Amino acid sequence: MQPLPCAPSSSGPFPASSSLPSIAIVGAGPTAVYALDALQRQGPACRVTLLEAGGQPGQGIPFNARNNGAHLLANIAGFELPPVGETLNAWAMRQSPRRQAALGVAGMAHDPRAFFPRMALGAYYADQLGRLMAPEAGPCTAELHCHAEVQDIVARPDGARVIWTQRGQRHAADFDAVIVASGYGKPDVGARLAGASARIARGRRVAVIGSSLSAIDAAVELAVRHGQFHEAGDGTLRYVVEQPFAVTFLSRHGLLPEADFWVPEQAPALRHCTPAALAATVRGHDGDLDRAFALFARELAEADPDYARTIDLPTCDADSFATRHFAARMGSDPFVHARANLAQARDSHARAQTIAWRHAILRMHEAFATIVPDLSDADLARFSRGLKRVFVDNYAAVPHLSVARLLALHEAGVLTVQRIGRDASMARAADGGWTIGTPDAVERFDEVIDARGQAPLGLEDFPFPTLRLHICAQALAEDRHWHEGLAPAQGHVLDPEDPALSRVHVLSLPFLLHRHPFIQGLTESAAMARACVAALGRRAEAKPRSRDDIHAALAWLDRTDPIYQGTDVLMVARPTA
């Protein structure tokens, strides 16, 4: 793969004399690639500037080659990945044998149901970004700036100013619109392991917080540093320890993820729990979740009557369903369940036959995603404690090889799982290690790796101070809380009624997760990008409205919040009527 051309910054990314609309994309990971693809395919002619903080454009944090080896797998199959020009498998098939081997896809590049290494997906997106930047790619002219850290965004009715630093130099440019596609807020497991590897020496006990695919990545990364996996003649996997070590997954519920099950490429439509039917249950107050659950239960009972009888579905409600659903797994050894589940999932693929209840829940999570943003605070909290856990567990199924590796590590005496509940405590020990306390015991570990997924981020974590102040002031004026993150309007525009905020679209996943808990995969990134570009295409000048209330709120924050005292952001952020 040839490096992408990263342009040096000057006073602005394009000549000021150009009459084409200008769009800045903050970030150059997969979400930004999908945004540029949508602009090239469905957008008007424009000038696009991508500002990438790192030096590996296109790859994004979870898929970069620097911290991901070929042993770390993505959990999305080729046929599920939204294509950028060409499908993942078509791209993999035209790579040279040498590159296929380097990316870990040799022998499976043709298989649309194969799970590729994360670094292969990163290479795919990097290649597609290069293609999208070519002059013949579409009506848009694109320019990429690497090592460009965006410091601030100033939204105004006449445009948006983006301020960034690049190799110690400060730059600023004005754009007609900004797409914030800055991706995840915490480093990936590979990066964290790279920093810890020097300390994880022979005989060390390592605690991994979490038990999802990121935790599996952590365990596998440690395993390849301390021994080798071997496949036996009968296809079973075993692990040989060369340098002793031990890993414990610390999980709130003590569960391991289930293995990927076969699903048809074209899923049948839901009959009862449809987006339209769910929307009709939402009346804007407590109780919406109960009406939605009734549709969920009806769909599930029809899809798999045996499963419904097993958990006594007719007596479940929105609060008790998760407890019933997880009861058998919670009551069994996690590795015993993992072995049985892996056999079931492999049989599902061998027969090309789905598991009815799992497939129904998988389809319904997409329908529920359309109403979760509109649930009341109380219903949202209930949903997060119950149904959300079921949905996330079901759609976060992992590659069969990942489960086989966990089983091999456990049989080698390397891996255990410990349930820690909600009240676990963690403290640094005097000798540099860690103590983890639960109601039942206190455990000591030499190292701790946080492999939990991306947590929702509140607006106080939004990294652009002037834009953050602008949104906080608006929230204050409208008596809304901003600690829960962002809830952009259709097309992911911050506020279509505000002449300034209507120029900013936010696709940054961590800030959307609170009200959009399922919006964290590549499929969602592609959908967000398409919606954003569609909104850009139809954006008209919003009718101005008085913003004296915003100005008053800005003034209040300027007086009371030490973050903003002594700054000049008040005047540049004030929207004008």
Side-chain angles (χ1 to χ4, degrees), residues 34-190:
Y34 282 119
L36 181 56
D37 179 54
L39 285 167
Q40 294 288 31
R41 289 188 296 105
Q42 68 191 62
C46 59
R47 298 171 289 126
V48 181
T49 299
L50 295 102
L51 300 168
E52 165 59 29
Q56 295 178 293
Q59 299 180 34
I61 289 177
F63 308 108
N64 70 76
R66 182 173 301 159
N67 298 315
N68 286 287
H71 50 280
L72 300 183
L73 303 179
N75 69 335
I76 184 169
F79 82 94
E80 299 173 298
L81 190 75
V84 185
E86 61 182 337
T87 67
L88 175 65
N89 289 100
W91 167 84
M93 286 291 289
R94 65 178 182 82
Q95 305 307 306
S96 68
R98 182 176 180 180
R99 193 180 188 203
Q100 286 183 359
L103 293 174
V105 301
M108 60 178 176
H110 65 286
D111 184 358
R113 291 185 179 270
F115 291 91
F116 287 2
R118 293 187 182 195
M119 61 185 291
L121 271 65
Y124 167 75
Y125 285 115
D127 281 2
Q128 300 311 311
L129 177 58
R131 179 185 61 79
L132 290 168
M133 292 183 61
E136 66 276 9
C140 301
T141 303
E143 191 172 86
L144 171 66
H145 297 260
C146 295
H147 305 290
E149 301 228 13
V150 174
Q151 304 296 316
D152 206 358
I153 298 172
V154 182
R156 300 175 302 203
D158 60 343
R161 169 155 291 195
V162 180
I163 301 160
W164 72 92
T165 58
Q166 187 176 30
R167 303 189 187 281
Q169 298 294 314
R170 184 179 182 276
H171 307 276
D174 294 322
F175 299 89
D176 293 297
V178 177
I179 299 173
V180 180
S182 47
Y184 286 88
K186 67 192 296 186
D188 61 298
V189 171

Side-chain angles (χ1 to χ4, degrees), residues 535-556:
L536 281 168
R538 63 176 178 263
R539 186 176 76 87
E541 287 295 326
K543 182 180 179 181
R545 63 180 181 178
S546 173
R547 306 302 286 179
D548 288 343
D549 52 349
I550 298 295
H551 184 241
L554 283 165
W556 179 86

Side-chain angles (χ1 to χ4, degrees), residues 210-222:
S211 60
S212 65
L213 186 63
S214 294
I216 295 174
D217 284 348
V220 170
E221 181 68 28
L222 291 170

